[in-house]
Amino acid sequence: QVQLVESGGGLVQAGGSLRLSCTVSGRISGISDMAWYRQAPGNQRDLVARISRGGITKYADSVKGRFTISRDNAKNTVSLQMNSLNLEDTAVYYCNAECFNGRRWENYWGQGTQVTVSS
């Protein structure tokens, strides 16, 4: 079973910083793209940032210049450094990864972690 475990969510004041981490474990032999998504109440689940195995990144316009995605291929982890947080960043953040489980490539999701930005 492939599992994605997230950590780092919580409550932070506007203008502050937070770092999210996600570790992939289980019977996997490879990981392609890894990404962070977020979903606020009543909204769609939107891409925040994506990073390929080779380190190519893509960011949503709303977070560009404030958030940084990174990964450690040896540890099967992906992180999201969030700076200059504002109220609009409040959402549930989900880790996502494309993994080879020994039989096929499949898309996996974490359970989500709450990020709340206060004024």
Side-chain angles (χ1 to χ4, degrees):
Q1 184 76 273
V2 177
Q3 299 171 348
L4 277 63
V5 180
E6 299 155 313
S7 63
L11 177 66
V12 65
Q13 292 184 340
S17 298
L18 208 60
R19 184 177 179 87
L20 306 181
S21 296
C22 173
T23 300
V24 180
S25 63
R27 299 176 64 183
I28 57 171
S29 58
I31 304 175
S32 185
D33 288 357
M34 306 182 81
W36 289 95
Y37 289 73
R38 69 185 182 187
Q39 186 171 20
N43 292 351
Q44 293 181 318
R45 185 176 298 185
D46 296 324
L47 176 69
V48 177
R50 183 186 302 278
I51 183 168
S52 72
R53 183 170 182 85
I56 301 173
T57 59
K58 179 180 180 180
Y59 296 92
D61 289 341
S62 59
V63 308
K64 196 171 301 181
R66 300 188 297 121
F67 291 10
T68 302
I69 189 171
S70 61
R71 66 188 288 170
D72 187 333
N73 292 334
K75 297 180 179 179
N76 292 339
T77 61
V78 61
S79 298
L80 185 69
Q81 178 66 46
M82 304 184 292
N83 298 327
S84 302
L85 287 161
N86 56 56
L87 296 179
E88 288 67 47
D89 295 319
T90 295
V92 177
Y93 284 70
Y94 296 90
C95 180
N96 174 266
E98 193 78 16
C99 304
F100 190 72
N101 58 20
R103 181 178 292 271
R104 61 180 64 87
W105 289 94
E106 293 187 1
N107 190 256
Y108 296 90
W109 292 92
Q111 294 299 117
T113 184
Q114 177 70 47
V115 172
T116 302
V117 183
S118 66
S119 60

